[in-house]
Amino acid sequence: METTEVQIHRGLRGIYIDNTQASFIDGNVGKLLYRGYDIHELAEKSTFEETMYLLLHGQLPTRAQLSAFDAELRAARPIPAEVIQIIRLVQRAHPMDVLRTAVSALAAFDPDVTNESPEAILRKGIRLTAQAATVVAAHERIRHGLDPVPPDPSLNHAGNFLYLLRGKRPDPEEAKTMDVDFIIHAEHSSNASAFAARVTASTLSDLHSAIVTGIGTLKGPLHGGAAEKVMEMAEAIGQPERAEEYVRETLKSHGRIMGFGHAVYKAEDPRARHLRDRSKVLGEKRGEPQWFQILTVLEQKAMVPYRARGIYVNVDFFAGSVYHLLGIPSDLFISIFAMGRIPGWTLQVMEQQAHNMLLRPLLNYTGPMDLPYVPMDQRR
Ligand code: CMC
């Protein structure tokens, strides 16, 4: 039998599936642009609301445009009482499972659920970004026996999230840290969750389904779960003097050092630096400098030999310590990543559907062929 040789691209590495105007990544030099703008400029000078507008509309807003966009985002924060009820019913689940379930339930109450016009996807993306913060915070309070706090329309997205979570207003520095975190997580090209969201969108399914797909895909420890694992690692290490030994032992048993390495970046992930300083300053302010010290030994000593193999810190490395220092429990870390990423997923869905083609790769079958069907009583 004649066989044609099949070329397998495991993990789809190096394969371009389409063009995009969302973000540009040069993994060799650690460069990231959203819609042409450098992530460093956005992290230092922009706000989450402005960056989200930039992503969804393709250009920086005027003052009036930003004000209208922000008002829409603030107005969309409340979630239906039925969804709060669902959160109560599933409160013991992992926060990502609760977020996934609540986003799915929100579809039932969304006035645009069956409307997949670009304008409707945009409206739904804005609503879901605002509502996701309310869901995550409401769940955190409910599972601790507290009632959810109503959103505060006088606070920006990041400040309101921290307020909903803790029931008291954050100080401006904390709110800015959260804002920067949301900016740097907002979009990242065809990573696993955005690709998964595109696959769902390519069937002409709806935005809520695509975001649910994204949330489910982000949950894994090789993607969004790393920040939580970094903090667990820092806690297991306990003190800076033990960091090098921890790395030696982990690598000896073929384990991975969480927060290091990236499928695309073979230089430092440009997003990491924006949480590095904040981790240091927040740690000193909170009287917990040890986390930054442990992370610094890992980055500056123990993992230095791995730079030659392109293994540097990624965005999650300092994120875990920053969230911990903001008083956020570790099982909420991935949900925060997801909240920040909803604008990126929404944009990718819009791009996918703007000139859609069903995403349908092939699998090369390597199993047996043409087996005779054996009746049950003749099987051994
Ligand atoms: N610790 C130890 N070794 C590593 C690490 C690490 N963190 N990352 C990669 N390597 C080694 C790996 O063992 C392998 O070695 P060998 O060739 O000897 O088998 C080699 O590098 C290539 O690994 P790979 O998994 O094939 O490479 P990848 O480019 O697909 O890895 C990664 C990307 C993120 C899955 C991986 O670096 C990893 O597991 N990192 C830890 C988890 C993590 O921090 N994830 C967050 C990613 S950033 C947030 C996001 O965008 O999702």
Side-chain angles (χ1 to χ4, degrees), residues 111 143 159-160 168 177 201 294 331:
R143 69 177 175 162
N160 175 64
K168 68 175 175 40
T177 299
I294 290 168
D331 64 352

PDB file of all heavy atoms in Angstrom, residues 111 143 159-160 168 177 201 294 331:
ATOM      1  N   PRO A 111     -28.899  40.176  26.981  1.00  0.00           N
ATOM      2  CA  PRO A 111     -29.863  40.556  25.928  1.00  0.00           C
ATOM      3  C   PRO A 111     -29.334  40.293  24.517  1.00  0.00           C
ATOM      4  O   PRO A 111     -30.115  40.228  23.569  1.00  0.00           O
ATOM      5  CB  PRO A 111     -30.069  42.063  26.159  1.00  0.00           C
ATOM      6  CG  PRO A 111     -28.892  42.516  26.977  1.00  0.00           C
ATOM      7  CD  PRO A 111     -28.469  41.330  27.792  1.00  0.00           C
ATOM      8  N   ARG A 143     -18.234  32.180  49.883  1.00  0.00           N
ATOM      9  CA  ARG A 143     -17.632  30.959  50.453  1.00  0.00           C
ATOM     10  C   ARG A 143     -17.049  31.214  51.842  1.00  0.00           C
ATOM     11  O   ARG A 143     -16.696  30.275  52.549  1.00  0.00           O
ATOM     12  CB  ARG A 143     -16.593  30.349  49.505  1.00  0.00           C
ATOM     13  CG  ARG A 143     -15.330  31.150  49.322  1.00  0.00           C
ATOM     14  CD  ARG A 143     -14.368  30.394  48.422  1.00  0.00           C
ATOM     15  NE  ARG A 143     -13.190  31.190  48.143  1.00  0.00           N
ATOM     16  CZ  ARG A 143     -12.054  30.696  47.690  1.00  0.00           C
ATOM     17  NH1 ARG A 143     -11.921  29.411  47.476  1.00  0.00           N
ATOM     18  NH2 ARG A 143     -11.038  31.484  47.454  1.00  0.00           N
ATOM     19  N   GLY A 159      -9.903  49.016  41.095  1.00  0.00           N
ATOM     20  CA  GLY A 159     -10.220  49.433  42.458  1.00  0.00           C
ATOM     21  C   GLY A 159     -11.529  48.816  42.923  1.00  0.00           C
ATOM     22  O   GLY A 159     -11.650  48.347  44.060  1.00  0.00           O
ATOM     23  N   ASN A 160     -12.514  48.781  42.011  1.00  0.00           N
ATOM     24  CA  ASN A 160     -13.806  48.197  42.358  1.00  0.00           C
ATOM     25  C   ASN A 160     -13.655  46.711  42.659  1.00  0.00           C
ATOM     26  O   ASN A 160     -14.267  46.193  43.598  1.00  0.00           O
ATOM     27  CB  ASN A 160     -14.797  48.408  41.212  1.00  0.00           C
ATOM     28  CG  ASN A 160     -16.122  47.709  41.463  1.00  0.00           C
ATOM     29  OD1 ASN A 160     -16.853  48.034  42.389  1.00  0.00           O
ATOM     30  ND2 ASN A 160     -16.423  46.723  40.638  1.00  0.00           N
ATOM     31  N   LYS A 168     -13.773  46.783  51.573  1.00  0.00           N
ATOM     32  CA  LYS A 168     -13.282  48.137  51.890  1.00  0.00           C
ATOM     33  C   LYS A 168     -12.426  48.647  50.736  1.00  0.00           C
ATOM     34  O   LYS A 168     -11.824  47.855  50.000  1.00  0.00           O
ATOM     35  CB  LYS A 168     -12.541  48.164  53.232  1.00  0.00           C
ATOM     36  CG  LYS A 168     -11.229  47.434  53.297  1.00  0.00           C
ATOM     37  CD  LYS A 168     -10.658  47.711  54.683  1.00  0.00           C
ATOM     38  CE  LYS A 168      -9.409  47.022  55.054  1.00  0.00           C
ATOM     39  NZ  LYS A 168      -8.305  46.774  54.302  1.00  0.00           N
ATOM     40  N   THR A 177      -1.636  48.745  41.309  1.00  0.00           N
ATOM     41  CA  THR A 177      -0.984  47.444  41.082  1.00  0.00           C
ATOM     42  C   THR A 177      -1.943  46.488  40.370  1.00  0.00           C
ATOM     43  O   THR A 177      -1.579  45.816  39.399  1.00  0.00           O
ATOM     44  CB  THR A 177      -0.512  46.847  42.426  1.00  0.00           C
ATOM     45  OG1 THR A 177       0.435  47.749  42.993  1.00  0.00           O
ATOM     46  CG2 THR A 177       0.122  45.485  42.254  1.00  0.00           C
ATOM     47  N   ALA A 201     -15.236  29.963  18.479  1.00  0.00           N
ATOM     48  CA  ALA A 201     -15.818  31.032  17.647  1.00  0.00           C
ATOM     49  C   ALA A 201     -15.903  30.605  16.188  1.00  0.00           C
ATOM     50  O   ALA A 201     -16.816  31.013  15.462  1.00  0.00           O
ATOM     51  CB  ALA A 201     -14.979  32.302  17.779  1.00  0.00           C
ATOM     52  N   ILE A 294      13.109  35.402  48.116  1.00  0.00           N
ATOM     53  CA  ILE A 294      13.173  34.023  47.596  1.00  0.00           C
ATOM     54  C   ILE A 294      13.123  34.042  46.063  1.00  0.00           C
ATOM     55  O   ILE A 294      13.926  33.396  45.380  1.00  0.00           O
ATOM     56  CB  ILE A 294      12.012  33.167  48.169  1.00  0.00           C
ATOM     57  CG1 ILE A 294      12.232  32.920  49.662  1.00  0.00           C
ATOM     58  CG2 ILE A 294      11.864  31.846  47.410  1.00  0.00           C
ATOM     59  CD1 ILE A 294      11.024  32.349  50.390  1.00  0.00           C
ATOM     60  N   ASP A 331      -6.003  30.389  45.509  1.00  0.00           N
ATOM     61  CA  ASP A 331      -6.839  29.710  44.505  1.00  0.00           C
ATOM     62  C   ASP A 331      -7.660  30.695  43.661  1.00  0.00           C
ATOM     63  O   ASP A 331      -8.411  30.278  42.780  1.00  0.00           O
ATOM     64  CB  ASP A 331      -7.712  28.615  45.142  1.00  0.00           C
ATOM     65  CG  ASP A 331      -8.721  29.162  46.138  1.00  0.00           C
ATOM     66  OD1 ASP A 331      -8.660  30.356  46.465  1.00  0.00           O
ATOM     67  OD2 ASP A 331      -9.573  28.365  46.594  1.00  0.00           O
TER      68      ASP A 331
END
